[in-house]
Amino acid sequence: MKQRLALLGSTGSIGQQTLDIVRQRPDEFEVTTLTAARSWERLVEQAKEFGPDNVVIADKSLYGVVSEALRNEPVKVYAGDEALSQVVTSGEVDTVVNALVGYAGMMPSLSAVRAGKRLALANKESLVVAGEHIMREAAERNVPILPIDSEHSAIFQCLLGEVSPVRRVIITASGGPFLRTPAEELANVTVEQALAHPNWSMGAKITIDSSTLVNKGFEVIEAKWLFGLKPEQIDVLVHPQSIVHSMVEFDDGAIKAQLGAPDMHLPIQFALRFPLRGECGESRFSFADHPTLTFERVDNERFPMLQTAYECLRKGGNSCCVMNGANEVAVASFLAGRIKYIDIAHVIQQTLCRATFVASPSVEDYALSNSESRRIAQEIVKEL
Ligand code: NAD
Ligand code: MG
């Protein structure tokens, strides 16, 4: 039987790469749901190619055009955020691939887990905001969560077959486009420069997050929840070549690493086909052609957001949710030309100071905290 996929965020970078894999393996996968926020033309094209049962367009104002464009197809069209959380619970779905970006991915992840669906997770913000709830509910129902994020896929692969405890994990970071940019020049960085990631081609938000190291901070949080680690067991090391995707150290000092070409098709395919591997096409790494792999410490002076993420993780409660909400507003404001690059960190830090702290948040508290932190961040943006 084919594995039936609900692909959330099918028009984005991870979404389209997931569809590449489905295209290569039509005998293994079937897409029952496709969703997009606003890029309706691509969504319609995908629906015509893959013939899903449902499509969801999150922006309700686009419901009419999508329905009209698909009126001759045997597909149900839904609109709005709530529909995203509903379609994943369908009996026609085996695996939910969450390739949404931002807070919007959290409720669909939780719904998928509650409905007992296997979750292939790219949307790290789900775990940044509500990692404790999502992991607990998944454990209670024995629902597998398979990481798509390359670092977490690497750690997951290093842990296969191990029964001994992990001493620490080492998450690698490319360092982004500003790895060698002096502090005084960071103030004048343009949107175009920040969007030019040296090794990976990704959506705009994660590309900016990679340049500020907010992304790495979020990956530390994601690792804590996925692998049940303490913050002090998670290290970050800059590795500009992006070949070693991450590492795990055990008590005897043995370190296992997972290496490969920087191509997201590989971790996506592994999450979908686990425990099997599959052909990877041209994406092979050659030690002989690239014999130099280097590692260095993060410069916390120029990239303070990694330490801010650790502080949020240690403080717990809704802190990571606040950081996430503030970051979403800050990144959108930077991309829209409203604030400078270095103001992203300022907006996040100030929002963390002003937002209400909730020590043991419920899922409803996360929604309130997300709204509050976004409102505060907007105010700070206006003050700048
Ligand atoms: P993207 O911006 O390219 O795509 C996001 C997708 O989600 C699109 O289909 C978009 O229409 C949809 N979407 C956006 N906002 C939405 C909303 N509010 N409601 C409903 N749908 C919405 O993003 P991406 O680069 O594919 O990243 C997706 C997720 O995967 C992110 O959490 C990112 O951190 C993670 N991730 C991405 C990569 C990568 O290489 N792109 C690598 C590792 C992890
Ligand atoms: Mg990553």
Side-chain angles (χ1 to χ4, degrees):
M1 237 179 56
K2 291 187 193 181
Q3 191 183 151
R4 297 165 302 176
L5 309 178
L7 174 53
L8 311 183
S10 58
T11 56
S13 161
I14 295 291
Q16 292 184 67
Q17 294 181 82
T18 304
L19 290 176
D20 290 341
I21 290 163
V22 174
R23 225 175 253 125
Q24 283 157 14
R25 299 179 178 275
D27 48 328
E28 273 182 44
F29 301 112
E30 181 183 351
V31 178
T32 59
T33 303
L34 294 168
T35 86
R38 276 170 295 277
S39 30
W40 69 272
E41 281 143 318
R42 184 170 280 159
L43 180 67
V44 164
E45 224 171 81
Q46 291 177 340
K48 288 183 177 166
E49 180 180 353
F50 292 94
D53 301 333
N54 310 304
V55 301
V56 180
I57 183 85
D59 183 339
K60 286 184 176 168
S61 70
L62 295 170
Y63 174 77
V65 277
V66 175
S67 303
E68 176 58 23
L70 292 174
R71 71 178 184 284
N72 295 326
E73 306 289 323
V75 56
K76 292 197 204 75
V77 179
Y78 301 95
D81 294 338
E82 312 78 50
L84 286 173
S85 293
Q86 277 158 16
V87 284
V88 301
T89 65
S90 154
E92 306 299 310
V93 172
D94 302 310
T95 300
V96 174
V97 182
N98 188 342
L100 297 169
V101 64
Y103 180 87
M106 190 273 281
M107 274 317 293
S109 283
L110 201 53
S111 296
V113 164
R114 285 176 174 167
K117 308 297 181 187
R118 201 169 169 268
L119 179 61
L121 187 63
N123 178 261
K124 65 192 80 187
E125 295 91 341
S126 293
L127 295 179
V128 169
V129 172
E132 195 171 352
H133 290 80
I134 292 171
M135 295 312 293
R136 190 178 54 236
E137 300 222 19
E140 281 166 9
R141 292 171 180 78
N142 227 346
V143 172
I145 300 184
L146 297 144
I148 286 180
D149 212 350
S150 56
E151 295 77 2
H152 305 76
S153 177
I155 295 168
F156 181 72
Q157 293 180 53
C158 291
L159 291 174
L160 291 175
E162 295 291 347
V163 290
S164 303
V166 169
R167 189 175 185 87
R168 62 172 180 146
V169 301
I170 303 161
I171 297 179
T172 52
S174 70
F178 307 128
L179 178 59
R180 309 277 174 235
T181 307
E184 56 281 10
E185 283 176 31
L186 283 179
N188 301 316
V189 153
T190 65
V191 169
E192 201 185 10
Q193 287 169 322
L195 283 177
H197 195 281
N199 304 343
W200 300 93
S201 155
M202 309 178 284
K205 191 233 173 207
I206 184 180
T207 306
I208 301 299
D209 289 351
S210 299
S211 76
T212 56
L213 292 207
V214 164
N215 181 56
K216 214 41 64 178
F218 284 179
E219 290 182 352
V220 168
I221 300 167
E222 186 185 8
K224 179 212 154 77
W225 294 118
L226 279 174
F227 305 110
L229 301 166
K230 298 193 183 82
E232 55 274 19
Q233 286 179 290
I234 310 169
D235 283 348
V236 173
L237 209 51
V238 173
H239 166 50
Q241 298 83 18
S242 295
I243 297 299
V244 175
H245 297 308
S246 278
M247 302 182 250
V248 178
E249 183 181 335
F250 297 91
D251 284 341
D252 60 356
I255 297 178
K256 284 168 80 175
Q258 189 264 335
L259 288 75
D263 177 352
M264 287 305 296
H265 290 98
L266 307 181
I268 297 170
Q269 170 168 269
F270 193 71
L272 295 184
R273 299 195 80 224
F274 175 76
L276 299 176
R277 295 183 180 276
E279 263 302 316
C280 70
E282 298 302 305
S283 290
R284 288 186 188 279
F285 172 67
S286 157
F287 280 98
D289 292 343
H290 304 279
T292 310
L293 299 179
T294 61
F295 301 89
E296 57 195 275
R297 291 209 166 81
V298 172
D299 178 349
N300 289 315
E301 297 285 309
R302 280 184 308 135
F303 300 104
M305 287 299 98
L306 177 61
Q307 289 310 314
T308 299
Y310 272 104
E311 282 158 26
C312 289
L313 193 52
R314 289 198 186 93
K315 190 168 175 198
N318 62 333
S319 304
C320 298
C321 175
V322 173
M323 180 174 178
N324 179 71
N327 180 57
E328 287 187 27
V329 169
V331 171
S333 305
F334 170 66
L335 288 170
R338 281 197 286 275
I339 61 172
K340 288 207 238 169
Y341 181 75
I342 44 160
D343 293 333
I344 295 174
H346 173 80
V347 171
I348 293 171
Q349 272 150 350
Q350 286 303 308
T351 306
L352 281 165
C353 292
R354 295 189 205 173
T356 313
F357 179 67
V358 185
S360 303
S362 63
V363 174
E364 292 70 34
D365 290 330
Y366 287 129
L368 294 172
S369 175
N370 178 54
S371 307
E372 186 201 50
S373 49
R374 298 179 76 95
R375 184 173 42 72
I376 295 171
Q378 298 284 10
E379 283 163 18
I380 297 165
V381 165
K382 281 198 200 112
E383 289 164 14
L384 282 164

